[in-house]
Amino acid sequence: MSKVRLTIDGIAREVEAGQDLLSASLGLGVEVPHFCWHAALGSVGACRLCAVRIHDGPDDDEGRIEMACMTPVAEGQRVELADPEAAEMRARVIEWLMVNHPHDCAVCEEGGACHLQDMTVATGHHRRRFRFEKRTHRNQDLGPLLTHEMNRCIACYRCTRFYRGYAGGRDLDVFGAHDRAYFGRYEDGPLESPFAGNLAEVCPTGVFNDKGWSEHYARKWDMAATPAICTQCSVGCNLFAAERGGRVRRVQNRYHGAINGHFICDRGRFGALHVAEARLDHPRIGGAPADAETTRAAVQEALAKGAVGIGSPRASLETNAALRRLVGAERFFAGVGEAEARAVGRMAGWLAKGRGASLKQMEAADAVLVLGEDLTGTAPRAALALRQTARGAADALAAEKGVPAWLDNAARVAGEGRRPPVALVTPMTDALDDVATWALRRPPEEVAAFGQAVAAALRGEAAEEAAREVAEALKAAERPLVIAGFGTGRGDAVEAAGAVAEALGEHARLALFPPEANSLGLALAGAEGLEGAVAALEHGRAGTAVIAEVDLVERADPRLVERLFAAAETVIALDSAETRTTARADIVLPVADWSEAAGTLVNHEGRAQRSFAAVSGGRPAGWRVLAGLMAVRPGWDTLDAMLDALARDLPQLAPAKETAPGAAFRLPLGQVARAPWRMSGRTAQDLAGRVPEGTPPADDDAALAFSMEGAQGADAPPALRTSYGVPGWHSASAAPFLTDGPDGPMAGDDPGVSVLPGFTAPAPLAEHAPRGAGLAPLPLHEPFSGDELGRRAQRLAQRCPAPVIALHPDDAAEIGLADGQRVAVDGGEAVPLTLDPAVPKGHVAATAGRLLPRGGGHRAIVEAAE
Ligand code: FES
C-alpha cells in the first residue's frame, strides 16, 4: 500500500492511502469526535460531528470545513482539528443532538460508558439552552436480551447499518422522517438476528442495552474486567468478562483483529452467563454429598481398579493434559465418538499444512464453497464473517472504480452483481442463502460427493454441471476459500474440502470448524474416540471411567454411552454444573467453570488462546482437582507449572505457554489491574460488615490483579488487556484506538499462537455412513443454543425455539407417524413431530445435542412416545 503525507494540527504524519481521514486519525491516536462512523461499518456522514478544517495543500490558505469521515486522506493535506470554526461546529452539533435527549445519565445504564457522554464532554457542551417541550418516543419490548429507550437516540444510524447491512437482519429498521426518525421493529417483539446483542455496543448512547445487565447493573467503573475466551463454539472470540460482587454481570466484545473484530454473536455474549445455573458445589458419592476426605478415599479406591480418562472438547488444554497424565497416554480418550475425533484430527492435519483461514481472511475471500456446514448454527460469528465477503468485494470494486470505499451505500450498489461467488451446499435451508450465488441442497451423504466432484472438475475430469460451475468460479478467484465442519455428524466433507483446496493450489485456504471451543486442542492431545474407552472397560483393561467436563449424552451415540455406564464399575465425573452424565456418575467432583479459572483453548484455526479467571475464590480448575487425585502430587501449583508439564508430555502443545505472559510478568506499575482506577465502594463490597479493607485476593495463574492497583488498560500486552484504556473514551467506541488497521497499534499483535506446526494427522475414517438400523441422523444447530452449559443461560434460552424432531412426510407415513404426534429419537426427550418436505428422505432432523447427539456415527430410531 502506498503512503501519503499530511499534517494534522501542524504535526507531520504519514498514513496509508485509501483511508478516510477519520479512520487514519484514530489509528494515529488523534481524537476526532464522531458518532456515525464506526470502524467496521464505515461512514455515512449522518451526524456532522467530525467536522475539521481541511487545506488541500500549502497554497490553500482558507481551507474549508469538511467531515473527516467523508474525506479521503491526500498527499499534502493540512488538517486542523483545533480550528475555532470547526470546534464551534462540533459544539453546536452536540447541542442540537442533545435538544431532545432526556439527559438521564444518572439513571441510564450507559452512564459512565457512553460515547455520547464522552463526546459531550469533549466538545465542551455543558449548559442546556433549549427551553421547550422535548420530543418523546414510545419504547418497544425487544425481547429478553435487549432494552429499548428511543428517547436517547441521536439518529446516527449505526444500529440499522449494523443490523441490516452488516448482519443481514430484516426486522429492525428506521421509520418516520425529520426529527421523528424511529429505530425499532414494526411491532414489539424479540429481535430475530442472532447478532442483535451487538447493538448494545454499536449504539453510541443508551438506546439499546443488555437487558439482563440493565436489571442488575453496576457502573462500568465498578466492575472488574477480565480477558476471556468464548466457550460456545470453536471460533474462540475474545471477550471482556465484567464482574462485580463475585458474579459475572456482563460479557462484551474484546477486539481481536483476526477473529471477532468488533462483534460477537448472542450465543457468546449471553450464553456465557450460564455460570450461576445448576452449579455443582459439593462432591457427591452415590448421589449423596460427601466430604473431601471421603471423596478422595473413594476416588483412590476406584482408580486402583485401573482407569480410562475421557477428555473434553470444552475443557481447557490443561485439564485434558492433567487427565491424560492421571490415566496414562494409552488410556486417554475423547468424550466424543470416533467419527468426530477422527474428523477433528483430520481438520488439524489439513490446517497444519498452512492452509487455515482466520475469520479476517474469510472476509477477504473472493470465491467461497461451503460444504455441508450450517455456519449460522455451528459457528455463528463465522457466518457473520462470510456475510462480509460480499461487502468486501463491493468496497474493492468501488476502490477499483475510483469511488471512495467509505461511500458505503454507493459502493454496495456498485458492487451488486459483482459479489464474490458463494456456493452453499447444505442439507437444508440455510440462513446464508441470501448471500449465496448457488444455494444447493444435498443430503448429508451427498455433500462430500459434490465437493469431490468440484475437485475432479478442477483437475479437468468429468463432473456434474453444478460442480463444474462452482469449480470455474473457484478457479478464477485469487483468494478461494473452502469451508467445512462436522455439523452434519460426518467427516467426509472435511476430506472433500481438502481435496478441493489441493486441486486449486497453494493459494486456496480452508476454514474448518470443529464442534467445540477446544475440540482441536483435544485432537492435538492425541485423544481417540470414546469407542476405545468403552472397549477398554468391556475387556477388563480398566474398571473406572474418569470423565472430565463433558456430557457424553450430548455428544456420543446413546448406545455407546449405555455400554460405558454398563461396563464401568465406577464412573467419576468432574464438571461445573449438573449434566445428564453427572446425574448418572457414581462420584461427582465439582470444578471451575470458564469464569473461575484460567485455561488455554485451541480455536478452529489452531490458535491457542488464554482465558483468565473473572471471579476470585471460585472452585478449583479441573486440572488442579485431577492433580489432587494423583498418588504422587505432580507439583502443579500454578498454571505456569502445569503448562511446563503439558509441554513435556505433549511437545506439540508447548507453544501454548506463549499465548499470554506468565503470572510473574510485571509492567513498571506492577500487575495488570482488572478493576479500573475509578472503582468506588471497594471497601463496602463483600466485607459483610467488616470495616477494615481486605487484602485483594491473589491470582497465582495470571499477571492480573483482582484490584485496581497496578498497570491499566492499553499498557498491557494484548492477551492481558482489561480495557481499551483510552483516557476520556469510556465506551466500546474506544476500540478503534487499538485496532489493527494499517496504522493501528495492534497491527500484527493479535493474541494467540498456533500449535499446529508439525502435527501429523490420523488416517481418515474409512466409513462415514451412519451404522445400524433406522434413519440417518441430521443434527439441527440453533444459533441461540450453545452446548449443555450454554443452554442454561436463562435469557438466551428464551430466544431458543422449542426442540424439534422433523421427518420427510414420506418417511413419517412409512413409519406410521403423524404431524404433531409426540415422538422421541432413540428413547430420548419426546416432542411433537414436524413433517417437513425439506428434510432429506431417510433422515431424521432433530435439535443437536438435546435430541440428537452432535457426533453422528449411528442411525436413529424414531418412535411414538408413550
Ligand atoms: Fe463523520 Fe458522523 S462521524 S459525520
Side-chain angles (χ1 to χ4, degrees):
M1 271 206 189
S2 58
K3 296 269 186 186
V4 296
R5 281 159 300 178
L6 44 78
T7 63
I8 302 178
D9 282 342
I11 300 173
R13 308 279 194 170
E14 194 172 72
V15 298
E16 295 285 358
Q19 306 179 71
D20 65 76
L21 191 50
L22 178 53
S23 306
S25 301
L26 293 176
L28 293 167
V30 178
E31 300 182 12
V32 180
H34 61 270
F35 279 125
C36 60
W37 177 92
H38 184 281
L41 306 176
S43 317
V44 285
C47 72
R48 320 309 283 172
L49 185 62
C50 63
V52 293
R53 181 173 293 279
I54 295 176
H55 304 263
D56 285 336
D59 300 331
D60 180 4
D61 292 332
E62 190 176 345
R64 64 206 176 277
I65 302 293
E66 292 267 16
M67 297 306 115
C69 70
M70 303 296 282
T71 309
V73 293
E75 183 69 27
Q77 213 168 38
R78 284 189 293 128
V79 182
E80 289 176 34
L81 179 61
D83 173 73
E85 198 182 335
E88 173 72 9
M89 174 164 175
R90 295 194 298 266
R92 294 288 80 80
V93 168
I94 285 287
E95 186 170 16
W96 84 57
L97 286 176
M98 294 296 286
V99 159
N100 288 301
H101 187 83
H103 290 74
D104 60 343
C105 305
V107 295
C108 173
E109 315 90 302
E110 195 84 354
C114 174
H115 191 56
L116 177 58
Q117 263 184 340
D118 286 345
M119 294 301 100
T120 304
V121 171
T123 53
H125 172 66
H126 56 86
R127 236 182 94 241
R128 179 177 167 75
R129 292 188 294 168
F130 186 73
R131 291 282 171 265
F132 307 99
E133 199 168 319
K134 291 182 186 181
R135 172 210 61 209
T136 55
H137 293 288
R138 173 186 167 274
N139 299 319
Q140 291 185 316
D141 181 350
L142 297 179
L145 303 181
L146 287 169
T147 58
H148 189 229
E149 175 46 85
M150 255 307 292
N151 293 324
R152 296 171 183 155
C153 180
I154 55 163
C156 68
Y157 288 73
R158 276 191 186 186
C159 55
T160 46
R161 284 154 63 212
F162 168 76
Y163 196 90
R164 301 180 68 86
Y166 197 95
R170 286 291 165 265
D171 60 318
L172 179 86
D173 211 337
V174 56
F175 304 91
H178 306 294
D179 70 339
R180 302 294 309 175
Y182 187 88
F183 296 82
R185 298 184 83 247
Y186 72 96
E187 62 180 7
D188 286 30
L191 286 166
E192 290 164 8
S193 168
F195 308 102
N198 290 297
L199 295 178
E201 291 181 52
V202 166
C203 175
T205 173
V207 178
F208 301 98
N209 250 313
D210 177 332
K211 197 177 241 181
W213 169 71
S214 295
E215 283 177 9
H216 302 280
Y217 77 86
R219 292 295 189 197
K220 183 186 174 185
W221 64 79
D222 279 340
M223 295 190 288
T226 300
I229 303 299
C230 182
T231 58
Q232 294 299 309
C233 80
S234 65
V235 171
C237 292
N238 285 217
L239 310 174
F240 284 127
E243 172 271 355
R244 180 165 171 84
R247 214 185 93 202
V248 176
R249 302 289 180 111
R250 180 173 66 169
V251 165
Q252 286 186 304
N253 184 74
R254 179 165 56 101
Y255 181 84
H256 190 295
I259 306 178
N260 42 300
H262 294 269
F263 306 119
I264 54 176
C265 71
D266 287 4
R267 187 199 291 178
R269 184 183 299 273
F270 302 105
L273 301 175
H274 62 76
V275 291
E277 309 298 327
R279 274 173 64 100
L280 278 171
D281 278 311
H282 303 289
R284 228 169 45 208
I285 301 176
D291 62 47
E293 219 25 66
T294 314
T295 309
R296 184 174 158 75
V299 169
Q300 292 304 333
E301 192 182 322
L303 292 177
K305 296 174 203 158
V308 288
I310 297 170
S312 165
R314 71 168 149 90
S316 67
L317 276 184
E318 292 84 350
T319 292
N320 280 307
L323 179 61
R324 185 176 179 272
R325 174 74 76 86
L326 177 73
V327 298
E330 68 290 349
R331 291 173 178 223
F332 176 62
F333 300 94
V336 302
E338 183 59 24
E340 179 177 333
R342 195 74 72 90
V344 178
R346 294 291 299 166
M347 289 184 202
W350 284 110
L351 297 172
K353 295 180 181 180
R355 289 187 174 279
S358 66
L359 260 54
K360 186 173 187 180
Q361 287 165 325
M362 276 179 64
E363 290 181 4
D366 57 355
V368 185
L369 168 61
V370 181
L371 287 175
E373 202 65 3
D374 166 19
L375 277 186
T376 311
T378 59
R381 182 61 186 84
L384 190 60
L386 184 54
R387 191 170 281 282
Q388 306 320 309
T389 54
R391 180 188 173 88
D395 286 352
L397 176 70
E400 198 182 288
K401 287 186 160 183
V403 182
W406 41 264
L407 276 176
D408 242 5
N409 296 330
R412 211 170 291 129
V413 170
E416 285 299 334
R418 292 282 301 272
R419 289 180 165 192
V422 175
L424 277 183
V425 189
T426 52
M428 295 184 64
T429 312
D430 196 288
L432 288 168
D433 279 350
D434 64 318
V435 296
T437 317
W438 298 278
L440 303 171
R441 300 288 94 91
R442 295 284 191 279
E445 60 276 13
E446 291 178 22
V447 169
F450 184 86
Q452 295 291 0
V454 173
L458 286 165
R459 293 190 297 264
E461 299 163 16
E464 63 170 288
E465 190 182 337
R468 283 203 313 275
E469 275 183 35
V470 173
E472 281 307 313
L474 291 170
K475 201 171 173 179
E478 289 176 11
R479 298 175 301 280
L481 172 72
V482 190
I483 297 173
F486 194 71
T488 61
R490 299 171 62 99
D492 49 359
V494 175
E495 300 309 315
V500 174
E502 296 239 299
L504 280 165
E506 286 296 312
H507 64 304
R509 290 201 170 264
L510 284 166
L512 303 174
F513 293 94
E516 311 254 354
N518 199 28
S519 290
L520 219 53
L522 185 60
L524 293 169
E528 292 182 6
L530 189 62
E531 287 84 341
V534 174
L537 292 163
E538 287 180 337
H539 293 113
R541 295 197 295 276
T544 296
V546 185
I547 306 171
E549 300 185 52
V550 56
D551 181 8
L552 298 180
V553 185
E554 180 94 5
R555 292 175 180 77
D557 180 70
R559 286 149 281 230
L560 191 62
V561 179
E562 285 307 319
R563 279 170 54 197
L564 181 138
F565 275 98
E569 278 181 56
T570 308
V571 172
I572 302 171
L574 292 77
D575 219 324
S576 58
E578 198 75 72
T579 68
R580 288 171 287 183
T581 296
T582 58
R584 294 182 62 179
D586 303 296
I587 301 174
V588 176
L589 302 172
V591 297
D593 60 40
W594 70 270
S595 70
E596 294 168 296
T600 312
L601 303 169
V602 181
N603 84 342
H604 76 103
E605 307 162 75
R607 182 192 295 261
Q609 301 190 97
R610 186 77 42 78
S611 194
F612 293 98
V615 298
S616 63
R619 296 163 293 181
W623 59 268
R624 277 202 164 93
V625 172
L626 289 162
L629 303 182
M630 293 178 194
V632 179
R633 294 292 172 105
W636 304 331
D637 297 329
T638 64
L639 188 80
D640 291 331
M642 174 68 231
L643 285 163
D644 287 336
L646 184 148
R648 285 193 296 276
D649 288 358
L650 293 159
Q652 170 76 42
L653 294 169
K657 190 167 183 193
E658 312 308 321
T659 55
F665 173 84
R666 293 290 181 275
L667 287 165
L669 283 175
Q671 287 183 299
V672 179
R674 286 175 169 90
W677 279 326
R678 295 184 300 154
M679 191 172 209
S680 60
R682 193 179 90 184
T683 305
Q685 195 183 330
D686 294 332
L687 290 176
R690 287 184 292 125
V691 174
E693 190 168 275
T695 306
D699 186 346
D700 293 339
D701 297 334
L704 297 164
F706 280 111
S707 78
M708 66 182 82
E709 282 83 21
Q712 294 270 317
D715 296 338
L720 295 179
R721 279 191 184 130
T722 54
S723 78
Y724 296 126
V726 183
W729 295 62
H730 303 99
S731 73
S733 293
F737 288 106
L738 286 178
T739 60
D740 64 345
D743 301 304
M746 252 178 86
D749 205 13
D750 288 315
V753 295
S754 174
V755 286
L756 289 171
F759 177 72
T760 309
L765 206 62
E767 180 55 68
H768 294 278
R771 298 177 298 278
L775 297 165
L778 175 51
L780 297 177
H781 300 272
E782 166 53 49
F784 290 104
S785 171
D787 62 9
E788 63 269 28
L789 301 186
R791 284 203 302 273
R792 292 155 200 263
Q794 288 178 354
R795 287 184 176 275
L796 189 65
Q798 291 173 47
R799 287 293 295 111
C800 239
V804 172
I805 297 175
L807 294 177
H808 191 280
D810 294 352
D811 288 328
E814 201 169 303
I815 304 171
L817 297 172
D819 194 24
Q821 185 177 355
R822 288 184 72 74
V823 296
V825 177
D826 291 331
E829 184 181 343
V831 302
L833 176 66
T834 302
L835 298 189
D836 184 351
V839 178
K841 278 190 190 178
H843 293 73
V844 50
T847 306
R850 192 160 159 187
L851 300 181
L852 261 187
R854 293 166 189 270
H858 224 284
R859 286 180 177 272
I861 306 291
V862 183
E863 291 172 315
E866 291 295 302

